[in-house]
Amino acid sequence: MGLDVQWALRWLALSAEAMAEHREELIELDRPIGDSDHGENMDRGFKAVMVKIAEAPPETAGAALKMTAMTLMSKVGGAAGPLYGTAFLRAATALGDADDIDAATLAAAFQAARDGIVARGKAESGDKTMVDAWTPAVDAAVAAAGNSDVHKVLAAAAEAAEAGAVSTDPMLARKGRASYLGERSIGHRDPGAVSTALILRAAVGAAG
């Protein structure tokens, strides 16, 4: 058995919980290298997603992710709204109307999400952005998809994203507001990479 719309809805609900729980942490991470608003924006965005889902429950995982994309684009300020919105929209397109998401489709959806972020933000690995969490997550997901086990794909992606977020600590920021700080950006963890890891970890929890 693969993943279905109920998994997607649990994923979004757990993501919303994670953004609320880690709101202050994300704000503090963003304070020295950004606008101090990442935690606030992500919490507000996912709360809005929960409202939209309650108003019109989606019937497929793809529809749930598309609804998420549209909501985040309209409710989340800064760069995070367009970037996460694009990620969820690309992932939704990759899933299509599938009722049963297998390992290969799941990995393809994660890859589509990452590619959307890269296309929108023009960032690469090593630039100290959320891409530094997404790219290792995608690589791990694609590698794990050969086992045809969606749970292994999810776990591999989350673990790689968490390690990727930590890897941003010593990086020199080359994109976004943090890049204006030059050498002073070194030693700070990228908040977008951290929120990426939290969202991908929520996807694991949603699968049980």
Side-chain angles (χ1 to χ4, degrees):
M1 284 294 292
L3 303 170
D4 58 12
V5 64
Q6 293 305 317
W7 163 75
L9 294 176
R10 286 194 297 272
W11 176 21
L12 297 171
L14 289 176
S15 293
E17 289 179 12
M19 293 306 109
E21 181 182 347
H22 294 273
R23 175 179 175 275
E24 293 301 323
E25 175 191 346
L26 293 173
I27 288 172
E28 288 306 313
L29 287 173
D30 199 31
R31 195 179 305 282
I33 59 173
D35 291 326
S36 307
D37 60 356
H38 189 64
E40 175 69 29
N41 285 339
M42 295 300 292
D43 183 29
R44 182 175 65 251
F46 272 93
K47 278 184 168 63
V49 169
M50 290 296 96
V51 171
K52 288 289 186 183
I53 286 173
E55 290 174 351
E59 296 183 0
T60 66
L65 299 193
K66 184 177 181 179
M67 181 180 290
T68 299
M70 297 297 111
T71 305
L72 294 179
M73 284 181 181
S74 66
K75 297 293 185 180
V76 177
L83 290 172
Y84 273 120
T86 301
F88 277 105
L89 188 59
R90 294 284 187 94
T93 300
L95 294 181
D97 295 325
D99 291 321
D100 188 27
I101 302 161
D102 61 20
T105 303
L106 177 63
F110 284 162
Q111 186 160 6
R114 188 277 313 275
D115 292 349
I117 290 168
V118 170
R120 189 72 185 249
K122 305 294 189 289
E124 301 173 352
S125 293
D127 284 346
K128 199 183 183 87
T129 72
M130 63 173 68
V131 173
D132 292 300
W134 273 103
T135 290
V138 168
D139 291 345
V142 170
N147 295 318
S148 300
D149 185 334
V150 291
H151 294 84
K152 289 181 179 178
V153 172
L154 290 169
E159 289 168 13
E162 287 161 355
V166 173
S167 79
T168 65
D169 289 6
M171 290 179 183
L172 174 72
R174 296 197 293 255
K175 289 288 181 181
R177 186 175 179 85
S179 66
Y180 302 150
L181 298 174
E183 297 283 338
R184 285 180 296 149
S185 66
I186 295 172
H188 299 286
R189 191 164 302 175
D190 181 70
V194 174
S195 61
T196 293
L198 290 171
I199 289 169
L200 291 178
R201 178 55 64 186
V204 179

